[in-house]
Amino acid sequence: MGVLSPVLEISAAVSFSYGGAPVQLIYLANIATAVAAPAAGFFICLMLFRKDVNQGMKQPRILQACMIISYLFV
């Protein structure tokens, strides 16, 4: 099985140490990803509009517009 076996063993050990099943650990990881990805994208979008971050560089107007449009639908 290669790398998959140790990953499953570690995740099972972590899951059982918290008193749950390995499937619950996968479920919680999916929820965390669903929450963290939009939050990280939102903060990246905020950084795109800061003047001090883009100092000395051309403003990424197309990227800014695309990020705003994509976050209107989230």
Side-chain angles (χ1 to χ4, degrees):
M1 279 183 121
V3 177
L4 186 60
S5 180
V7 170
L8 289 175
E9 291 171 3
I10 292 170
S11 65
V14 169
S15 177
F16 289 135
S17 69
Y18 285 108
V23 175
Q24 290 175 334
L25 183 66
I26 294 170
Y27 180 70
L28 291 175
N30 285 336
I31 292 173
T33 302
V35 171
F42 176 71
F43 287 113
I44 289 171
C45 191
L46 289 177
M47 285 186 63
L48 283 173
F49 286 97
R50 291 189 52 164
K51 302 262 187 228
D52 58 340
V53 172
N54 295 318
Q55 188 174 9
M57 296 170 40
K58 184 179 156 191
Q59 289 284 342
R61 296 289 179 204
I62 296 174
L63 181 60
Q64 289 172 341
C66 290
M67 290 289 284
I68 287 182
I69 290 169
S70 69
Y71 274 90
L72 289 176
F73 295 106
V74 172

